[in-house]
Amino acid sequence: MDSLIFDSHAHYDDEAFDSDREELLASLPQKGVCHVINAGASLKGSAASIALAEKYDFIHAAAGIHPEDAFGLPEDWQEQLSQMLSHPKVVALGEIGLDYHYEDACPREIQQQVFEAQLRMAKERDLPVIVHDREAHGDVMALLEKYRPRGVVHCFSGSAEMAREVVALGMYIGLGGAVTFKNARRPLEVAAIVPPDRLLNETDAPYMAPVPYRGKRCDSTLIPYSAAKIGDIRGVPAAEVLRWGRQNAAELFGITL
Ligand code: NI
């Protein structure tokens, strides 16, 4: 079987998988999944991400500090992260970025400092970044333009215009379950215009399960539902969308298919 599913963003270290993680992960390669990038969100989550990548050939790790975890970091967080980035199965720095959704979460200045520090680390190491942008489009774009990293804006929620700007910077657009949601408008506009060589498929598992599984626990085997929706909009079969995403992710993260 031709395994077409490259999940460019998942969190299998999440507690939602505590009851059956080993069983589920062991089953993925038989269900059409060729590779998964497991994204870290904290120092602890990044270490867990690396542990999964050590255990499973098809899992690769990203290590980084998510904006919601940017508050109260230990003084030596950059050294700790830096050490993790040297691990042979770490293929990206992420997920990192800005999240202005919750007013009382991590203060914006701290989020920005931690994001910038990680953008610099990625540049120094020539590592791609996995960017989280929630209700912070203007500030995220300004920093991407300043540092011009390689990488992807995952779970892309910006406008088609912003998608064009991200692509013009040479970056990729990650699309997942949100394209299937009933109220989806922007993700569909973006899905219609993203160049085939700039699209990544993703889940954000355990979150963002596509319709008809919306609200349930998500895993990489559900990617064909969002690929089918993107394919509908573009007039190509889901398999074609999966092939685009697989090729692009392999190139961005330096993974041999
Ligand atoms: Ni995520």
Side-chain angles (χ1 to χ4, degrees), residues 67-102:
E68 283 183 52
D69 289 276
F71 200 49
L73 289 169
E75 228 167 89
D76 67 341
W77 71 271
Q78 293 198 53
E79 286 151 52
Q80 289 193 45
L81 180 57
S82 186
Q83 213 161 45
M84 289 195 257
L85 295 176
S86 303
H87 190 283
K89 283 209 79 178
V90 171
V91 296
L93 212 162
E95 62 179 293
I96 63 176
L98 301 175
D99 192 322
Y100 296 166
H101 184 67
Y102 296 108

Side-chain angles (χ1 to χ4, degrees), residues 162-227:
M162 177 177 167
R164 286 193 187 92
E165 290 171 20
V166 167
V167 166
L169 289 174
M171 295 182 74
Y172 294 79
I173 303 281
L175 292 176
V179 298
T180 68
F181 295 173
K182 229 182 190 159
N183 56 356
R185 184 178 58 85
R186 278 182 152 192
L188 295 183
E189 289 168 7
V190 171
I193 61 103
V194 57
D197 65 353
R198 287 291 168 234
L199 169 71
L200 298 189
N201 298 305
E202 66 168 59
T203 53
D204 209 11
Y207 313 106
M208 305 296 282
V211 172
Y213 295 95
R214 188 171 185 183
K216 304 235 166 72
R217 187 181 78 172
C218 186
D219 68 57
S220 306
T221 62
L222 299 183
I223 278 191
Y225 290 97
S226 35

